[in-house]
Amino acid sequence: MLVDLNLQNAIETGLQDYLTRRKLYFHAGLTPGKPGVGDAFKTAVNSQFESDILLLLPEAQDEWCMISQIIVFRKHLDSLSAAQRKHYAFLLKGLACLIEPRCHRSVGDKVNGVSLGLLNWLNLTSINEKDTAEILALNWDMEIPHMYNQVPNQWILHDVSPN
Amino acid sequence: MKVQDSVYNQSLSDLVPSDGDRKKLEFLADKTPYRSGIENTLHDAIDALFIEAALEESVNSDEPWCVLAILSSIDGVMIGGPFASDAALYDRRASFVKKVSRMVEPLCEPRNPDLLDWLARITYLPNYTPESIAAWWNRISPEQKCDLCPGTDPALSEDIHDLFGLYRTEGASPLKENISVPAGKDLVLSLS
């Protein structure tokens, strides 16, 4: 496998353990379609992020991190434990609080400061890594108003608590 | 962060060019309690991918480092873990032990029919090489060669602590089930 010299230097600086470097090159060579070392790093970082998020449920304050965590939880929505569901609901609630001030259309009734309509919409709408609170607020403004003015799933509603 | 100079930061940008991926890496390094910096996080991430590939049987190699890395990955999940009674994994392990035997046997003095059995009973660590295994075999007594649980090479099991950062020197395994979970959090095993 050919690796560009700059990248090779970067790997040797960033990954000082020889065995780990071999594993990286080996994995890069194994990956279907031969996408190379860069994609192997990307896969490694994303896999580790997913694993740690599911295991440790770390708090997230930044919107990028809430969004990235929500995306991870959605991949495993059918098999989440009670604590993971609670954390997912906590993330949705946190993100809803960041989106709400940016919305121009009414967000409807609130429970403990969180709009149920916005929360329900957020739970159902597709979210991707490049989304921000600003983009999601624009998307909300463009939705048909009555579509999401319904009560969210009971377990999400249950976790909409003051704290 | 363990290494914080500009060369390292430039390297990190080259290695992980996506801003989102770098944010995730930095978040893991800073916000998860058992990690000690970006370099260790990268090591753990690559190790985890390799372990996953080894368990999924998508890795098959005759290169000594790779055979031994696969065995250490298998032993890491079999000891006390959910794969402890996985018959398929035992079979896979046995096939890789045979490969190790072919590498180690020419280096052993004297040659001994117990070698293969002993190689099947030892626990493999990531820093083993055919030469180090042969040296271990060559220095132990005939009685030790028949030990039912030889464990790890004492000469190398201490060295391994120097290879990695705080996370591993504290004795934790890269396996998730051995990580202490913050109070009030559920433990979920995920190797991916």
Side-chain angles (χ1 to χ4, degrees):
Chain A
M1 177 183 23
L2 290 175
V3 178
D4 148 319
L5 193 59
N6 285 340
L7 184 57
Q8 190 174 346
N9 286 337
I11 290 168
E12 289 185 13
T13 306
L15 270 183
Q16 294 180 2
D17 176 47
Y18 176 68
L19 181 60
T20 310
R21 286 204 301 273
R22 294 189 87 157
K23 287 180 180 175
L24 170 72
Y25 288 129
F26 192 77
H27 191 83
L30 277 177
T31 313
K34 298 181 187 172
V37 173
D39 273 30
F41 260 114
K42 185 180 178 65
T43 307
V45 170
N46 279 282
S47 295
Q48 193 70 63
F49 184 79
E50 182 170 332
S51 176
D52 279 12
I53 293 309
L54 290 170
L55 179 71
L56 299 167
L57 313 180
E59 288 187 12
Q61 305 288 338
D62 300 328
E63 61 187 64
W64 76 266
C65 196
M66 288 182 191
I67 289 169
S68 296
Q69 290 199 33
I70 286 168
I71 291 168
V72 168
F73 279 97
R74 283 185 172 185
K75 286 171 68 178
H76 302 273
L77 213 48
D78 293 337
S79 57
L80 295 183
S81 67
Q84 288 170 324
R85 282 184 162 207
K86 188 170 183 178
H87 191 71
Y88 174 66
F90 169 81
L91 292 167
L92 284 181
K93 178 188 163 189
L95 188 56
C97 289
L98 293 179
I99 294 170
E100 190 190 324
R102 297 170 165 90
C103 294
H104 295 98
R105 185 166 68 75
S106 165
V107 294
D109 296 339
K110 290 186 180 181
V111 172
N112 295 324
V114 181
S115 155
L116 297 185
L118 180 59
L119 189 62
N120 191 44
W121 172 78
L122 202 52
N123 183 42
L124 298 173
T125 198
S126 71
I127 299 178
N128 69 59
E129 294 270 0
K130 291 187 176 169
D131 281 337
T132 61
E134 194 70 48
I135 291 171
L136 291 167
L138 285 171
N139 291 348
W140 164 260
D141 285 340
M142 289 188 293
E143 288 288 349
I144 300 167
H146 68 270
M147 287 284 284
Y148 295 98
N149 286 338
Q150 51 189 305
V151 178
N153 294 348
Q154 281 304 305
W155 61 269
I156 289 182
L157 186 61
H158 180 263
D159 288 316
V160 179
S161 59
N163 297 316
Chain B
M1 195 185 300
K2 192 177 176 185
V3 184
Q4 217 162 13
D5 57 40
S6 58
V7 174
Y8 187 80
N9 286 334
Q10 181 55 48
S11 297
L12 190 62
S13 299
D14 290 340
L15 295 177
V16 189
S18 152
D19 184 47
D21 293 340
R22 257 195 332 278
K23 278 182 175 173
K24 287 180 185 173
L25 182 61
E26 285 164 2
F27 179 80
L28 294 178
D30 292 341
K31 302 288 185 192
T32 48
Y34 56 88
R35 302 217 183 277
S36 54
I38 286 180
E39 190 181 348
N40 274 323
T41 307
L42 270 178
H43 281 185
D44 289 348
I46 291 161
D47 274 353
L49 272 192
F50 189 86
I51 290 170
E52 188 180 6
L55 295 181
E56 286 176 352
E57 305 189 19
S58 56
V59 180
N60 200 346
S61 170
D62 288 330
E63 287 188 73
W65 77 268
C66 192
V67 170
L68 290 165
I70 291 167
L71 277 169
S72 76
S73 300
I74 291 175
D75 282 1
V77 297
M78 285 179 90
I79 297 172
F83 297 94
S85 58
D86 187 322
L89 209 51
Y90 268 107
D91 290 346
R92 183 162 160 75
R93 185 183 189 278
S95 74
F96 281 97
V97 168
K98 282 181 189 163
K99 289 185 182 187
V100 173
S101 174
R102 287 196 287 273
M103 296 166 200
V104 171
E105 192 179 9
L107 306 171
C108 291
E109 291 296 340
R111 296 196 177 181
N112 189 308
D114 294 331
L115 177 64
L116 181 60
D117 284 343
W118 180 80
L119 289 172
R121 292 195 304 272
I122 64 174
T123 303
Y124 291 84
L125 293 178
N127 55 343
Y128 286 1
T129 61
E131 291 75 16
S132 72
I133 294 171
W136 183 13
W137 168 263
N138 288 339
R139 74 169 179 270
I140 61 176
S141 66
E143 294 75 27
Q144 288 172 309
K145 287 176 169 53
C146 297
D147 189 343
L148 290 178
C149 301
T152 55
D153 183 356
L156 290 181
S157 54
E158 287 186 10
D159 290 349
I160 195 161
H161 297 320
D162 298 330
L163 290 174
F164 305 109
L166 178 66
Y167 164 48
R168 287 176 185 169
T169 58
E170 286 179 337
S173 150
L175 289 177
K176 307 306 180 207
E177 66 266 30
N178 288 341
I179 294 168
S180 59
V181 179
K185 307 289 189 187
D186 273 5
L187 178 64
V188 173
L189 176 69
S190 172
L191 289 170
S192 61

PDB file of all heavy atoms in Angstrom, chain A residues 86-119:
ATOM      1  N   LYS A  86     -32.904   7.555  28.832  1.00  0.00           N
ATOM      2  CA  LYS A  86     -32.986   8.787  29.602  1.00  0.00           C
ATOM      3  C   LYS A  86     -31.957   9.798  29.078  1.00  0.00           C
ATOM      4  O   LYS A  86     -32.244  10.982  28.939  1.00  0.00           O
ATOM      5  CB  LYS A  86     -32.734   8.480  31.085  1.00  0.00           C
ATOM      6  CG  LYS A  86     -32.982   9.638  31.996  1.00  0.00           C
ATOM      7  CD  LYS A  86     -32.946   9.197  33.448  1.00  0.00           C
ATOM      8  CE  LYS A  86     -33.290  10.395  34.330  1.00  0.00           C
ATOM      9  NZ  LYS A  86     -33.331  10.052  35.746  1.00  0.00           N
ATOM     10  N   HIS A  87     -30.762   9.297  28.782  1.00  0.00           N
ATOM     11  CA  HIS A  87     -29.714  10.176  28.272  1.00  0.00           C
ATOM     12  C   HIS A  87     -30.100  10.728  26.895  1.00  0.00           C
ATOM     13  O   HIS A  87     -29.880  11.912  26.614  1.00  0.00           O
ATOM     14  CB  HIS A  87     -28.396   9.402  28.197  1.00  0.00           C
ATOM     15  CG  HIS A  87     -27.204  10.276  27.930  1.00  0.00           C
ATOM     16  ND1 HIS A  87     -26.700  11.156  28.859  1.00  0.00           N
ATOM     17  CD2 HIS A  87     -26.431  10.410  26.832  1.00  0.00           C
ATOM     18  CE1 HIS A  87     -25.659  11.787  28.340  1.00  0.00           C
ATOM     19  NE2 HIS A  87     -25.476  11.364  27.112  1.00  0.00           N
ATOM     20  N   TYR A  88     -30.680   9.858  26.062  1.00  0.00           N
ATOM     21  CA  TYR A  88     -31.115  10.298  24.733  1.00  0.00           C
ATOM     22  C   TYR A  88     -32.176  11.399  24.865  1.00  0.00           C
ATOM     23  O   TYR A  88     -32.112  12.426  24.176  1.00  0.00           O
ATOM     24  CB  TYR A  88     -31.666   9.090  23.965  1.00  0.00           C
ATOM     25  CG  TYR A  88     -32.275   9.420  22.620  1.00  0.00           C
ATOM     26  CD1 TYR A  88     -31.494   9.897  21.568  1.00  0.00           C
ATOM     27  CD2 TYR A  88     -33.639   9.253  22.393  1.00  0.00           C
ATOM     28  CE1 TYR A  88     -32.057  10.202  20.335  1.00  0.00           C
ATOM     29  CE2 TYR A  88     -34.205   9.546  21.164  1.00  0.00           C
ATOM     30  CZ  TYR A  88     -33.420  10.017  20.141  1.00  0.00           C
ATOM     31  OH  TYR A  88     -33.969  10.328  18.924  1.00  0.00           O
ATOM     32  N   ALA A  89     -33.127  11.184  25.773  1.00  0.00           N
ATOM     33  CA  ALA A  89     -34.171  12.196  25.982  1.00  0.00           C
ATOM     34  C   ALA A  89     -33.555  13.500  26.510  1.00  0.00           C
ATOM     35  O   ALA A  89     -33.961  14.597  26.112  1.00  0.00           O
ATOM     36  CB  ALA A  89     -35.208  11.667  26.967  1.00  0.00           C
ATOM     37  N   PHE A  90     -32.557  13.352  27.377  1.00  0.00           N
ATOM     38  CA  PHE A  90     -31.863  14.521  27.908  1.00  0.00           C
ATOM     39  C   PHE A  90     -31.171  15.305  26.783  1.00  0.00           C
ATOM     40  O   PHE A  90     -31.204  16.540  26.734  1.00  0.00           O
ATOM     41  CB  PHE A  90     -30.849  14.044  28.962  1.00  0.00           C
ATOM     42  CG  PHE A  90     -29.887  15.082  29.421  1.00  0.00           C
ATOM     43  CD1 PHE A  90     -30.258  16.013  30.386  1.00  0.00           C
ATOM     44  CD2 PHE A  90     -28.591  15.142  28.912  1.00  0.00           C
ATOM     45  CE1 PHE A  90     -29.365  16.979  30.815  1.00  0.00           C
ATOM     46  CE2 PHE A  90     -27.702  16.099  29.330  1.00  0.00           C
ATOM     47  CZ  PHE A  90     -28.082  17.023  30.289  1.00  0.00           C
ATOM     48  N   LEU A  91     -30.581  14.575  25.843  1.00  0.00           N
ATOM     49  CA  LEU A  91     -29.919  15.227  24.710  1.00  0.00           C
ATOM     50  C   LEU A  91     -30.929  15.948  23.819  1.00  0.00           C
ATOM     51  O   LEU A  91     -30.699  17.081  23.375  1.00  0.00           O
ATOM     52  CB  LEU A  91     -29.146  14.195  23.875  1.00  0.00           C
ATOM     53  CG  LEU A  91     -27.920  13.565  24.533  1.00  0.00           C
ATOM     54  CD1 LEU A  91     -27.457  12.351  23.733  1.00  0.00           C
ATOM     55  CD2 LEU A  91     -26.783  14.577  24.648  1.00  0.00           C
ATOM     56  N   LEU A  92     -32.072  15.285  23.566  1.00  0.00           N
ATOM     57  CA  LEU A  92     -33.110  15.917  22.736  1.00  0.00           C
ATOM     58  C   LEU A  92     -33.610  17.198  23.396  1.00  0.00           C
ATOM     59  O   LEU A  92     -33.800  18.228  22.744  1.00  0.00           O
ATOM     60  CB  LEU A  92     -34.282  14.960  22.536  1.00  0.00           C
ATOM     61  CG  LEU A  92     -34.117  13.811  21.541  1.00  0.00           C
ATOM     62  CD1 LEU A  92     -35.405  12.994  21.489  1.00  0.00           C
ATOM     63  CD2 LEU A  92     -33.764  14.309  20.145  1.00  0.00           C
ATOM     64  N   LYS A  93     -33.803  17.093  24.700  1.00  0.00           N
ATOM     65  CA  LYS A  93     -34.294  18.255  25.438  1.00  0.00           C
ATOM     66  C   LYS A  93     -33.263  19.399  25.365  1.00  0.00           C
ATOM     67  O   LYS A  93     -33.617  20.558  25.113  1.00  0.00           O
ATOM     68  CB  LYS A  93     -34.532  17.858  26.900  1.00  0.00           C
ATOM     69  CG  LYS A  93     -34.988  18.980  27.799  1.00  0.00           C
ATOM     70  CD  LYS A  93     -34.993  18.489  29.252  1.00  0.00           C
ATOM     71  CE  LYS A  93     -35.027  19.685  30.196  1.00  0.00           C
ATOM     72  NZ  LYS A  93     -34.816  19.273  31.590  1.00  0.00           N
ATOM     73  N   GLY A  94     -31.998  19.054  25.553  1.00  0.00           N
ATOM     74  CA  GLY A  94     -30.941  20.075  25.486  1.00  0.00           C
ATOM     75  C   GLY A  94     -30.883  20.727  24.116  1.00  0.00           C
ATOM     76  O   GLY A  94     -30.741  21.952  23.990  1.00  0.00           O
ATOM     77  N   LEU A  95     -31.007  19.894  23.077  1.00  0.00           N
ATOM     78  CA  LEU A  95     -30.948  20.429  21.718  1.00  0.00           C
ATOM     79  C   LEU A  95     -32.181  21.300  21.431  1.00  0.00           C
ATOM     80  O   LEU A  95     -32.071  22.364  20.807  1.00  0.00           O
ATOM     81  CB  LEU A  95     -30.844  19.278  20.709  1.00  0.00           C
ATOM     82  CG  LEU A  95     -30.589  19.673  19.260  1.00  0.00           C
ATOM     83  CD1 LEU A  95     -29.325  20.519  19.119  1.00  0.00           C
ATOM     84  CD2 LEU A  95     -30.467  18.425  18.377  1.00  0.00           C
ATOM     85  N   ALA A  96     -33.337  20.844  21.922  1.00  0.00           N
ATOM     86  CA  ALA A  96     -34.569  21.637  21.726  1.00  0.00           C
ATOM     87  C   ALA A  96     -34.415  23.019  22.354  1.00  0.00           C
ATOM     88  O   ALA A  96     -34.857  24.031  21.796  1.00  0.00           O
ATOM     89  CB  ALA A  96     -35.762  20.896  22.331  1.00  0.00           C
ATOM     90  N   CYS A  97     -33.762  23.075  23.513  1.00  0.00           N
ATOM     91  CA  CYS A  97     -33.557  24.372  24.191  1.00  0.00           C
ATOM     92  C   CYS A  97     -32.636  25.288  23.382  1.00  0.00           C
ATOM     93  O   CYS A  97     -32.753  26.516  23.455  1.00  0.00           O
ATOM     94  CB  CYS A  97     -32.979  24.155  25.592  1.00  0.00           C
ATOM     95  SG  CYS A  97     -34.177  23.439  26.720  1.00  0.00           S
ATOM     96  N   LEU A  98     -31.707  24.688  22.633  1.00  0.00           N
ATOM     97  CA  LEU A  98     -30.820  25.507  21.786  1.00  0.00           C
ATOM     98  C   LEU A  98     -31.540  25.962  20.511  1.00  0.00           C
ATOM     99  O   LEU A  98     -31.257  27.029  19.969  1.00  0.00           O
ATOM    100  CB  LEU A  98     -29.572  24.702  21.393  1.00  0.00           C
ATOM    101  CG  LEU A  98     -28.598  24.330  22.509  1.00  0.00           C
ATOM    102  CD1 LEU A  98     -27.438  23.520  21.949  1.00  0.00           C
ATOM    103  CD2 LEU A  98     -28.069  25.584  23.207  1.00  0.00           C
ATOM    104  N   ILE A  99     -32.448  25.139  20.035  1.00  0.00           N
ATOM    105  CA  ILE A  99     -33.141  25.449  18.778  1.00  0.00           C
ATOM    106  C   ILE A  99     -34.230  26.502  18.989  1.00  0.00           C
ATOM    107  O   ILE A  99     -34.410  27.417  18.175  1.00  0.00           O
ATOM    108  CB  ILE A  99     -33.756  24.158  18.176  1.00  0.00           C
ATOM    109  CG1 ILE A  99     -32.640  23.193  17.763  1.00  0.00           C
ATOM    110  CG2 ILE A  99     -34.657  24.471  16.991  1.00  0.00           C
ATOM    111  CD1 ILE A  99     -33.157  21.803  17.392  1.00  0.00           C
ATOM    112  N   GLU A 100     -34.932  26.348  20.104  1.00  0.00           N
ATOM    113  CA  GLU A 100     -36.138  27.153  20.311  1.00  0.00           C
ATOM    114  C   GLU A 100     -35.934  28.671  20.131  1.00  0.00           C
ATOM    115  O   GLU A 100     -36.733  29.312  19.426  1.00  0.00           O
ATOM    116  CB  GLU A 100     -36.724  26.856  21.698  1.00  0.00           C
ATOM    117  CG  GLU A 100     -38.089  27.484  21.849  1.00  0.00           C
ATOM    118  CD  GLU A 100     -38.593  27.410  23.276  1.00  0.00           C
ATOM    119  OE1 GLU A 100     -38.330  26.405  23.953  1.00  0.00           O
ATOM    120  OE2 GLU A 100     -39.240  28.377  23.697  1.00  0.00           O
ATOM    121  N   PRO A 101     -34.883  29.276  20.703  1.00  0.00           N
ATOM    122  CA  PRO A 101     -34.726  30.738  20.529  1.00  0.00           C
ATOM    123  C   PRO A 101     -34.525  31.160  19.082  1.00  0.00           C
ATOM    124  O   PRO A 101     -34.678  32.327  18.740  1.00  0.00           O
ATOM    125  CB  PRO A 101     -33.473  31.060  21.359  1.00  0.00           C
ATOM    126  CG  PRO A 101     -33.238  29.883  22.223  1.00  0.00           C
ATOM    127  CD  PRO A 101     -33.828  28.711  21.534  1.00  0.00           C
ATOM    128  N   ARG A 102     -34.145  30.211  18.237  1.00  0.00           N
ATOM    129  CA  ARG A 102     -33.883  30.535  16.825  1.00  0.00           C
ATOM    130  C   ARG A 102     -35.123  30.323  15.954  1.00  0.00           C
ATOM    131  O   ARG A 102     -35.081  30.587  14.758  1.00  0.00           O
ATOM    132  CB  ARG A 102     -32.732  29.665  16.315  1.00  0.00           C
ATOM    133  CG  ARG A 102     -31.405  29.924  17.024  1.00  0.00           C
ATOM    134  CD  ARG A 102     -30.380  28.869  16.638  1.00  0.00           C
ATOM    135  NE  ARG A 102     -29.026  29.240  17.000  1.00  0.00           N
ATOM    136  CZ  ARG A 102     -28.452  28.955  18.167  1.00  0.00           C
ATOM    137  NH1 ARG A 102     -29.137  28.289  19.080  1.00  0.00           N
ATOM    138  NH2 ARG A 102     -27.213  29.335  18.428  1.00  0.00           N
ATOM    139  N   CYS A 103     -36.185  29.783  16.551  1.00  0.00           N
ATOM    140  CA  CYS A 103     -37.394  29.495  15.766  1.00  0.00           C
ATOM    141  C   CYS A 103     -38.259  30.748  15.635  1.00  0.00           C
ATOM    142  O   CYS A 103     -38.388  31.526  16.574  1.00  0.00           O
ATOM    143  CB  CYS A 103     -38.219  28.404  16.454  1.00  0.00           C
ATOM    144  SG  CYS A 103     -37.408  26.809  16.486  1.00  0.00           S
ATOM    145  N   HIS A 104     -38.846  30.914  14.447  1.00  0.00           N
ATOM    146  CA  HIS A 104     -39.771  32.020  14.238  1.00  0.00           C
ATOM    147  C   HIS A 104     -41.214  31.562  14.359  1.00  0.00           C
ATOM    148  O   HIS A 104     -42.092  32.335  14.687  1.00  0.00           O
ATOM    149  CB  HIS A 104     -39.524  32.659  12.864  1.00  0.00           C
ATOM    150  CG  HIS A 104     -38.164  33.304  12.789  1.00  0.00           C
ATOM    151  ND1 HIS A 104     -37.084  32.685  12.218  1.00  0.00           N
ATOM    152  CD2 HIS A 104     -37.719  34.499  13.250  1.00  0.00           C
ATOM    153  CE1 HIS A 104     -36.018  33.463  12.313  1.00  0.00           C
ATOM    154  NE2 HIS A 104     -36.371  34.577  12.944  1.00  0.00           N
ATOM    155  N   ARG A 105     -41.463  30.301  14.081  1.00  0.00           N
ATOM    156  CA  ARG A 105     -42.813  29.774  14.193  1.00  0.00           C
ATOM    157  C   ARG A 105     -43.028  29.293  15.630  1.00  0.00           C
ATOM    158  O   ARG A 105     -42.083  28.867  16.303  1.00  0.00           O
ATOM    159  CB  ARG A 105     -42.981  28.598  13.218  1.00  0.00           C
ATOM    160  CG  ARG A 105     -44.375  28.034  13.163  1.00  0.00           C
ATOM    161  CD  ARG A 105     -44.528  27.130  11.941  1.00  0.00           C
ATOM    162  NE  ARG A 105     -43.746  25.898  12.015  1.00  0.00           N
ATOM    163  CZ  ARG A 105     -44.076  24.857  12.773  1.00  0.00           C
ATOM    164  NH1 ARG A 105     -45.143  24.898  13.551  1.00  0.00           N
ATOM    165  NH2 ARG A 105     -43.344  23.773  12.748  1.00  0.00           N
ATOM    166  N   SER A 106     -44.275  29.361  16.091  1.00  0.00           N
ATOM    167  CA  SER A 106     -44.595  28.963  17.470  1.00  0.00           C
ATOM    168  C   SER A 106     -44.144  27.532  17.750  1.00  0.00           C
ATOM    169  O   SER A 106     -44.265  26.645  16.889  1.00  0.00           O
ATOM    170  CB  SER A 106     -46.113  29.062  17.681  1.00  0.00           C
ATOM    171  OG  SER A 106     -46.466  28.375  18.863  1.00  0.00           O
ATOM    172  N   VAL A 107     -43.633  27.332  18.957  1.00  0.00           N
ATOM    173  CA  VAL A 107     -43.205  25.976  19.325  1.00  0.00           C
ATOM    174  C   VAL A 107     -44.252  25.273  20.186  1.00  0.00           C
ATOM    175  O   VAL A 107     -44.044  24.160  20.647  1.00  0.00           O
ATOM    176  CB  VAL A 107     -41.845  25.991  20.063  1.00  0.00           C
ATOM    177  CG1 VAL A 107     -40.749  26.451  19.128  1.00  0.00           C
ATOM    178  CG2 VAL A 107     -41.905  26.868  21.304  1.00  0.00           C
ATOM    179  N   GLY A 108     -45.397  25.942  20.423  1.00  0.00           N
ATOM    180  CA  GLY A 108     -46.501  25.276  21.124  1.00  0.00           C
ATOM    181  C   GLY A 108     -46.338  25.218  22.628  1.00  0.00           C
ATOM    182  O   GLY A 108     -45.500  25.908  23.205  1.00  0.00           O
ATOM    183  N   ASP A 109     -47.152  24.354  23.231  1.00  0.00           N
ATOM    184  CA  ASP A 109     -47.171  24.237  24.699  1.00  0.00           C
ATOM    185  C   ASP A 109     -45.833  23.746  25.232  1.00  0.00           C
ATOM    186  O   ASP A 109     -45.132  22.970  24.583  1.00  0.00           O
ATOM    187  CB  ASP A 109     -48.265  23.261  25.133  1.00  0.00           C
ATOM    188  CG  ASP A 109     -49.640  23.779  24.760  1.00  0.00           C
ATOM    189  OD1 ASP A 109     -49.758  25.012  24.562  1.00  0.00           O
ATOM    190  OD2 ASP A 109     -50.564  22.959  24.633  1.00  0.00           O
ATOM    191  N   LYS A 110     -45.562  24.187  26.478  1.00  0.00           N
ATOM    192  CA  LYS A 110     -44.279  23.792  27.077  1.00  0.00           C
ATOM    193  C   LYS A 110     -44.502  23.018  28.369  1.00  0.00           C
ATOM    194  O   LYS A 110     -45.449  23.269  29.103  1.00  0.00           O
ATOM    195  CB  LYS A 110     -43.445  25.034  27.386  1.00  0.00           C
ATOM    196  CG  LYS A 110     -42.916  25.741  26.158  1.00  0.00           C
ATOM    197  CD  LYS A 110     -42.000  26.853  26.584  1.00  0.00           C
ATOM    198  CE  LYS A 110     -41.449  27.578  25.374  1.00  0.00           C
ATOM    199  NZ  LYS A 110     -40.536  28.653  25.783  1.00  0.00           N
ATOM    200  N   VAL A 111     -43.608  22.099  28.627  1.00  0.00           N
ATOM    201  CA  VAL A 111     -43.550  21.424  29.926  1.00  0.00           C
ATOM    202  C   VAL A 111     -42.127  21.610  30.436  1.00  0.00           C
ATOM    203  O   VAL A 111     -41.169  21.266  29.757  1.00  0.00           O
ATOM    204  CB  VAL A 111     -43.858  19.907  29.787  1.00  0.00           C
ATOM    205  CG1 VAL A 111     -43.590  19.189  31.116  1.00  0.00           C
ATOM    206  CG2 VAL A 111     -45.292  19.702  29.362  1.00  0.00           C
ATOM    207  N   ASN A 112     -42.029  22.174  31.622  1.00  0.00           N
ATOM    208  CA  ASN A 112     -40.702  22.443  32.208  1.00  0.00           C
ATOM    209  C   ASN A 112     -39.778  23.182  31.238  1.00  0.00           C
ATOM    210  O   ASN A 112     -38.585  22.869  31.135  1.00  0.00           O
ATOM    211  CB  ASN A 112     -40.042  21.142  32.656  1.00  0.00           C
ATOM    212  CG  ASN A 112     -40.797  20.484  33.788  1.00  0.00           C
ATOM    213  OD1 ASN A 112     -41.339  21.170  34.659  1.00  0.00           O
ATOM    214  ND2 ASN A 112     -40.874  19.180  33.774  1.00  0.00           N
ATOM    215  N   GLY A 113     -40.331  24.131  30.530  1.00  0.00           N
ATOM    216  CA  GLY A 113     -39.517  24.980  29.659  1.00  0.00           C
ATOM    217  C   GLY A 113     -39.209  24.386  28.303  1.00  0.00           C
ATOM    218  O   GLY A 113     -38.504  25.002  27.504  1.00  0.00           O
ATOM    219  N   VAL A 114     -39.703  23.178  28.033  1.00  0.00           N
ATOM    220  CA  VAL A 114     -39.414  22.555  26.737  1.00  0.00           C
ATOM    221  C   VAL A 114     -40.701  22.403  25.945  1.00  0.00           C
ATOM    222  O   VAL A 114     -41.704  21.905  26.466  1.00  0.00           O
ATOM    223  CB  VAL A 114     -38.776  21.156  26.927  1.00  0.00           C
ATOM    224  CG1 VAL A 114     -38.469  20.531  25.574  1.00  0.00           C
ATOM    225  CG2 VAL A 114     -37.511  21.267  27.750  1.00  0.00           C
ATOM    226  N   SER A 115     -40.666  22.827  24.705  1.00  0.00           N
ATOM    227  CA  SER A 115     -41.832  22.698  23.842  1.00  0.00           C
ATOM    228  C   SER A 115     -42.043  21.247  23.436  1.00  0.00           C
ATOM    229  O   SER A 115     -41.145  20.614  22.863  1.00  0.00           O
ATOM    230  CB  SER A 115     -41.628  23.536  22.588  1.00  0.00           C
ATOM    231  OG  SER A 115     -42.397  23.001  21.540  1.00  0.00           O
ATOM    232  N   LEU A 116     -43.249  20.743  23.722  1.00  0.00           N
ATOM    233  CA  LEU A 116     -43.517  19.338  23.383  1.00  0.00           C
ATOM    234  C   LEU A 116     -43.561  19.127  21.875  1.00  0.00           C
ATOM    235  O   LEU A 116     -43.103  18.109  21.367  1.00  0.00           O
ATOM    236  CB  LEU A 116     -44.845  18.886  24.013  1.00  0.00           C
ATOM    237  CG  LEU A 116     -44.895  18.903  25.538  1.00  0.00           C
ATOM    238  CD1 LEU A 116     -46.207  18.309  26.020  1.00  0.00           C
ATOM    239  CD2 LEU A 116     -43.724  18.148  26.131  1.00  0.00           C
ATOM    240  N   GLY A 117     -44.123  20.114  21.149  1.00  0.00           N
ATOM    241  CA  GLY A 117     -44.198  19.984  19.691  1.00  0.00           C
ATOM    242  C   GLY A 117     -42.809  19.939  19.075  1.00  0.00           C
ATOM    243  O   GLY A 117     -42.504  19.083  18.236  1.00  0.00           O
ATOM    244  N   LEU A 118     -41.947  20.854  19.532  1.00  0.00           N
ATOM    245  CA  LEU A 118     -40.581  20.902  18.998  1.00  0.00           C
ATOM    246  C   LEU A 118     -39.824  19.622  19.376  1.00  0.00           C
ATOM    247  O   LEU A 118     -39.093  19.050  18.558  1.00  0.00           O
ATOM    248  CB  LEU A 118     -39.859  22.141  19.556  1.00  0.00           C
ATOM    249  CG  LEU A 118     -38.422  22.357  19.103  1.00  0.00           C
ATOM    250  CD1 LEU A 118     -38.317  22.479  17.589  1.00  0.00           C
ATOM    251  CD2 LEU A 118     -37.834  23.607  19.770  1.00  0.00           C
ATOM    252  N   LEU A 119     -40.032  19.185  20.624  1.00  0.00           N
ATOM    253  CA  LEU A 119     -39.348  17.978  21.089  1.00  0.00           C
ATOM    254  C   LEU A 119     -39.785  16.764  20.266  1.00  0.00           C
ATOM    255  O   LEU A 119     -38.963  15.933  19.870  1.00  0.00           O
ATOM    256  CB  LEU A 119     -39.656  17.760  22.576  1.00  0.00           C
ATOM    257  CG  LEU A 119     -38.875  16.666  23.295  1.00  0.00           C
ATOM    258  CD1 LEU A 119     -37.385  16.970  23.298  1.00  0.00           C
ATOM    259  CD2 LEU A 119     -39.370  16.524  24.729  1.00  0.00           C
TER     260      LEU A 119
END
